[in-house]
Structure formats: structure tokens, C-alpha cells
Amino acid sequence: MEANFAQRMQISTAWIDTDKFPRKPTSLLRFSGRFKEHKRHQVFVSAQFRPVRDENRHRWASFQVSCSYNNSQVSTLESESLQDLLDEEALILKNKSQEIEPYLNGRCIYLVGMMGSGKTTVGKILSRTIHYSFCDCDKLVEQDVGVPSVAEIFEIYGEDFFRDKETEALEKLSIEHRFVVSTGGGAVIRDENWMYMSKGISVWLDVPLEELAQRIAAVGTKSRPLLDNESGDAYTNAFRRLSTLFEKRHKAYKNAKARVSLENIAAKLGYKDVSNITPAMIAIEALEQIGNIL
């Protein structure tokens, strides 16, 4: 009976403030530049939901969403179960982790990359997948110094002090096993840090600067001490500063044993850009690249 049930919902007076959308939407609904020129639009939305149970009695819902503007159809989105997509990523992660786990021998995995590249988010996915513990190197420094944020450490003690503490943290981690470590964006600039990380497997999350600037501009720069000193357009300032930092660091990032390029992932998946690549997709590529060097 449940499989035959369908419920239709209509909302005829939904208002969308397009200026609240980020520079590049990360959802499945996109708005053209011409559409975003106007601040508010009255949009007619209808959605149809159909609960279903599969042969394993797992409950999910297929759905169809239609949007119209000025009495004209804008788009129709049809989807299978969102859970199916998540399950597919989880299955790929599980399979790839089983392929490489026997060859890791407990070695730590160090994620390096620019600020905003997703090291913490991807690191947590990887650690759960391969049954490792997760460690954020910045958090270790904060706990050691007794200051709640890296930004405050920079403000009180300066960058050199923070870098010294960062090196101490990596030295301590170098004798540990079964950790996925998220490093700070500038950890790569010291040769001794690479000496400590060489005892494990270093992975560079290589994200285009445009994407990094969009991410950082969207959430603000208060937690980014190397970016939080400029007024003006957030995206422009972030991109300019990131470009300067990357110019200084990109050769150091190439020291990583494995590289995960979001542009390469997008090319594999047929995406026009990297904005729709999920952290799970990045984690899958990281496992694949790690497997290539084991």
C-alpha cells in the first residue's frame, strides 16, 4: 500500500532571495546570472514524493521537483533515493579502504594543502573509513598553548611562535601510528616538518585557488590570521592573498607522496568545475592515490 501512496505538495507563494545564494551554489538548484540580477522573485514550486521500501525493507523516497517563474517552466528535477547516492559513496570508500589497509602497516596519513582545502573534513572521512583516529594539528597547538584559536595565537605570540609549536606537534605525532592528521596550511614550509611527516604518507589536497577563495569568502576570514587584515570585497581579497601564499608554498606541496587534484576528479566525473565535488569523492580519490604508491 505504501508503494502506491503519493503525496503532492504545492507552494504557490514561495519567495526566493537570490542575493543570499553564494557565488557558486553548491546545491542541485542553480540560478543564472540574469536571474540573479533581481533581488526577489516569486517562484511556483511543486513537489511529488513517493515513499518506497526496497527488497531489504529500507525505506526511502523518490521525488520530483518542478519550478516555474512568470508562468514558464524553469526546471524539473527528478531523483532516486539520496540515500542510494550516499550508500554508493560509502561502498566505494569501504572497498578502497579494504584494498589498501593491509599495506598501510599503521602508518599515519598527513593531509597537506592550502587553507580551506578541506583537510579536516576529508580527514575525518578517511579516518572513519580506514579505522584510524583523527588529529587536527592546529587543535594540538591550541591545547598546548592554552589559547582557543590559531588566530589568537598569531595575535598574542606571532607566527614564528606558532610555527615552532606546530613543528613540536608534528614531532610528537611522528612516533604515533594509525592517525589521519590534518596539518596547517603553512606546515609545508619547514624542512623538518617534512622529515617528521616522511615517516607516514603525505597527501596534498590540491584545490583551485578560485574555489578556495569562494569557500573562504563564504564563511569569513576571522579564523584565518593570514587573511583577516583587509577590507573590501571578500572574494577578491581572499583570492589575491591566497595567490601570494600559494606562490610561496606550491613547490613545497609537491613534496607530498600523493596528490589529490580536484580538477582531475572533476574531469573524471565529467563536471564543468569542482564546486560540486563532495568530501566523500575527495576521500575516495585520496585512497586511490595512496593505493598507487603503496
Side-chain angles (χ1 to χ4, degrees):
M1 179 177 179
E2 187 174 75
N4 295 324
F5 171 79
Q7 177 183 359
R8 188 171 183 83
M9 178 181 68
Q10 294 184 342
I11 304 173
S12 58
T13 57
W15 286 91
I16 295 178
D17 289 317
T18 59
D19 59 347
K20 292 182 180 179
F21 281 86
R23 187 180 298 266
K24 275 194 175 182
T26 56
S27 66
L28 292 174
L29 295 178
R30 292 184 175 274
F31 294 86
S32 68
R34 183 179 298 178
F35 187 73
K36 291 187 69 173
E37 289 175 358
H38 305 284
K39 293 297 182 181
R40 290 173 67 86
H41 299 274
Q42 191 172 28
V43 180
F44 178 85
V45 179
S46 65
Q48 183 170 342
F49 303 88
R50 187 180 300 277
V52 178
R53 287 188 187 274
D54 61 19
E55 64 274 12
N56 296 317
R57 304 297 292 168
H58 294 151
R59 189 174 185 275
W60 53 275
S62 64
F63 59 90
Q64 175 178 307
V65 179
S66 299
C67 301
S68 61
Y69 171 60
N70 281 351
N71 297 318
S72 298
Q73 179 88 3
V74 176
S75 65
T76 299
L77 170 68
E78 294 188 44
S79 173
E80 295 182 355
S81 166
L82 177 60
Q83 188 62 44
D84 285 348
L85 300 178
L86 299 177
D87 287 347
E88 183 180 359
E89 287 183 340
L91 181 61
I92 296 173
L93 282 166
K94 180 180 178 181
N95 290 339
K96 287 195 176 294
S97 69
Q98 290 174 343
E99 290 173 8
I100 72 168
E101 231 177 321
Y103 305 100
L104 285 173
N105 297 322
R107 283 175 288 180
C108 291
I109 295 174
Y110 296 90
L111 300 182
V112 302
M114 293 284 286
M115 63 182 78
S117 58
K119 299 184 294 291
T120 297
T121 302
V122 174
K124 289 178 178 178
I125 294 173
L126 284 174
S127 65
R128 289 195 299 267
T129 302
I130 61 176
H131 307 103
Y132 271 32
S133 298
F134 174 77
C135 177
D136 185 326
C137 197
D138 284 353
K139 296 297 182 186
L140 282 184
V141 174
E142 292 167 2
Q143 292 168 9
D144 182 33
V145 179
V147 175
S149 72
V150 171
E152 290 183 61
I153 295 175
F154 268 63
E155 184 178 351
I156 297 170
Y157 299 105
E159 182 177 357
D160 288 342
F161 175 87
F162 171 80
R163 298 298 174 200
D164 290 340
K165 290 295 182 182
E166 183 176 56
T167 298
E168 290 176 13
L170 289 170
E171 181 181 11
K172 293 175 183 176
L173 286 166
S174 68
I175 61 173
E176 299 293 339
H177 295 83
R178 301 185 68 83
F179 272 93
V180 175
V181 181
S182 169
T183 67
V188 298
I189 62 178
R190 288 191 175 185
D191 290 340
E192 55 194 311
N193 292 346
W194 282 109
M195 179 183 67
Y196 297 131
M197 290 190 289
S198 68
K199 297 179 180 181
I201 299 170
S202 51
V203 181
W204 173 24
L205 301 188
D206 184 8
V207 182
L209 294 179
E210 295 85 356
E211 176 68 13
L212 292 176
Q214 288 162 7
R215 293 178 183 181
I216 291 170
V219 300
T221 59
K222 291 297 183 183
S223 63
R224 312 285 184 181
L226 294 179
L227 298 182
D228 193 35
N229 291 310
E230 297 184 63
S231 58
D233 179 70
Y235 172 82
T236 302
N237 291 338
F239 182 80
R240 181 171 60 247
R241 184 64 178 128
L242 288 167
S243 298
T244 301
L245 289 172
F246 186 73
E247 184 65 26
K248 296 177 180 178
R249 298 174 180 174
H250 77 278
K251 290 183 180 179
Y253 287 131
K254 291 181 180 179
N255 290 326
K257 295 177 180 178
R259 171 176 172 254
V260 174
S261 165
L262 265 66
E263 289 182 333
N264 288 347
I265 298 174
K268 285 182 184 180
L269 298 174
Y271 291 177
K272 293 181 179 179
D273 57 48
V274 303
S275 61
N276 287 327
I277 295 174
T278 67
M281 293 174 186
I282 300 171
I284 290 168
E285 179 70 9
L287 291 175
E288 184 171 327
Q289 295 304 319
I290 291 170
N292 289 340
I293 63 173
L294 290 178

